[in-house]
């Protein structure tokens, strides 16, 4: 069996805007109902978690302007308050919120996620990201963002500080002894006194430990520094690599790194990003994919804006019909994704070819009926040895139904995904197999 998650790539943002299945946009923007309904549908389908992306910028790297972002609706509401709303309407699914470690003081984050752990009944997770744009850092008072590997070193220390705060109350510190008049035993509550290079925090937390004590930790960075951070702290790792061989290499590499950190390979579940194209027949699915590819071919601007965001470089400055620019060593943003693009440009491919040729990052192409896609997923997982898949499809009510009511039953029929939940808490279900 493997695990299923869904990554909401625009966080608490806008989905389907201007498309054929966009719903009632005038009512849906900033409305939580789509996400709450999604949680219920995915729980019914046996998903382990949904994961809400986040960022703190209205992007303006492309053309040095907000024009593209504003016209296409690249907004983000803060996803964290959404977590308890989804949890309140569900009983088992885990909900992961994204925190950019450079911008959250450890005490604020540790207290917030302990509180969320209570509000969700032990079903919250935290997606550690280091954020990439300089503009995000400037929103929080920095001149510019920290350098890539230093961001990861900071994130590692940040996680140590947060973990120390989560341990400031011993297991049995909470007494709740009304007769003796003791709410909590002060001898079992300790200061953290964490003094790192980047962060300091005193502690203890003034919250009582949550049902999980330590919320589920998720990590996505694919560079060596990102993988090390994941090996040290993560319970689930989400990866966007290309091809079954790369999936296998990633899982094997993570197993080695986990062991080096004194952990077991099965302590962290690796889920691979996919974007299944589903339809009633194989032919319909191929035609649907063709249409999506044509739409992408007609949207060079969208592709260039995306590359600008990932790399931190304004791609409007490059000639689309010249060879893909060599940015090796010059990217302070998403390094592993840019390396994938650079690899795709081998042999002198033009910027236009590379930008339009590549689907939103996905590990394996999945196109077909729910039954045939389920079979392909089973085979890929068996070969790669990973722990599951992360759906990256933008959620609309239609795409949610296709996955939750079309694909998931086929996966379940094959015994590939869970048919129910054994536990109440997120981590227990995640680590069950
Ligand atoms: C599935 C997935 C989800 C991610 N979610 C976020 C996010 O919510 N916010 C963010 O700033 N970065 C997000 N990232 C980016 C990663 O945290 C990381 O910065 C990126 O993968 C580049 O990592 P690298 O420089 O270590 O290769 C995500 C990446 C992946 C693959």
């Amino acid at each position: 069996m493997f695990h299923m998650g869904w990554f909401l790539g625009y966080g608490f943002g806008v989905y389907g805007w201007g498309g054929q299945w966009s719903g009632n946009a005038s009512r849906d923007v900033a409305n939580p109902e789509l996400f709450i309904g999604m949680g219920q549908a995915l729980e019914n389908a046996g998903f382990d978690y949904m994961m809400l992306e986040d960022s703190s910028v209205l992007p303006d790297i492309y053309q040095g302007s907000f024009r593209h972002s504003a016209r296409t609706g690249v907004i983000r509401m803060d996803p964290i308050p959404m977590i308890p709303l989804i949890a309140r309407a569900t009983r088992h699914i885990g909900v992961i919120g994204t925190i950019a470690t450079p911008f959250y003081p450890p005490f604020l984050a540790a207290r917030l996620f302990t509180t969320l752990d209570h509000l969700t009944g032990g079903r919250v997770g935290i997606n550690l990201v280091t954020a990439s744009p300089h503009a995000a850092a400037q929103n929080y008072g920095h001149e510019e963002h920290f350098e890539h590997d230093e961001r990861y070193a900071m994130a590692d220390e940040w996680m140590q500080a947060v973990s120390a705060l989560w341990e400031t109350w011993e297991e049995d510190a909470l007494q709740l002894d009304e007769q003796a008049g003791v709410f909590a035993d002060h001898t079992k509550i300790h200061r953290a006194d964490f003094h790192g290079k980047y962060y300091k925090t005193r502690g203890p937390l003034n919250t009582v430990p949550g049902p999980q004590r330590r919320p589920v930790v998720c990590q996505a960075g694919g560079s060596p520094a990102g993988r090390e951070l994941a090996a040290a702290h993560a319970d689930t790792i989400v990866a966007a690599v290309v091809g079954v061989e790369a999936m296998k290499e990633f899982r094997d590499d993570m197993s080695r790194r986990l062991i080096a950190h004194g952990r077991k390979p099965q302590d962290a579940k690796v889920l691979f990003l996919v974007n299944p194209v589903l339809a009633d027949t194989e032919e319909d699915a191929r035609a649907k994919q063709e249409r999506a590819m044509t739409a992408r071919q007609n949207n060079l601007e969208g592709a260039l804006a995306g590359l600008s965001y990932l790399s931190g470089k304004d791609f409007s400055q490059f000639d689309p019909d010249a060879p893909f620019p060599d940015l090796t060593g010059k990217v302070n943003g998403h390094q592993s994704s840019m390396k994938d693009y650079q690899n795709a440009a081998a042999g002198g491919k033009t910027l236009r070819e590379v930008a339009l040729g590549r689907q939103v990052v996905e590990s394996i192409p999945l196109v077909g009926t729910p039954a045939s896609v389920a079979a392909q997923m089973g085979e890929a997982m068996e070969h790669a040895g990973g722990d599951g898949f992360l759906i990256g499809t933008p959620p609309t009510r239609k795409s949610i139904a296709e996955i939750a009511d079309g694909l998931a039953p086929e996966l379940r029929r094959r015994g590939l995904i869970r048919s129910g939940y054994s536990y109440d808490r997120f981590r227990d279900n995640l680590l069950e197999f």
Side-chain angles (χ1 to χ4, degrees), residues 2 18 83 88 107 247-248 253 255 258 269 299 308 323 365 379 382 405 409 416:
F2 55 73
I83 295 172
R88 248 344 236 192
F107 191 89
M247 288 162 66
K248 186 166 165 37
D253 181 57
S255 296
L258 283 155
K269 305 298 174 192
N299 186 16
S308 304
E379 279 164 30
E382 203 169 312
D405 298 336
L416 293 172

Side-chain angles (χ1 to χ4, degrees), residues 7 53-54 98 127 129 148 152 220-223 238 333-336 390:
F7 173 56
E53 181 264 13
D54 195 29
T98 296
N127 175 33
V129 303
H148 180 272
Y152 278 115
S223 62
V238 291
H334 295 214
Q335 288 189 349
S336 48
L390 184 72

Side-chain angles (χ1 to χ4, degrees), residues 181-195:
V182 178
F183 179 80
D185 179 351
H186 73 283
T187 66
K188 294 175 190 253
I189 302 171
H190 312 284
R191 287 165 59 154
D193 285 332
F194 184 90
H195 296 279

Side-chain angles (χ1 to χ4, degrees), residues 169 172-178 180-186 189 207-208:
W169 286 54
D172 55 350
L174 194 63
Q175 303 271 308
L176 299 178
D177 185 341
E178 293 194 49
V182 178
F183 179 80
D185 179 351
H186 73 283
I189 302 171
T207 49
V208 300

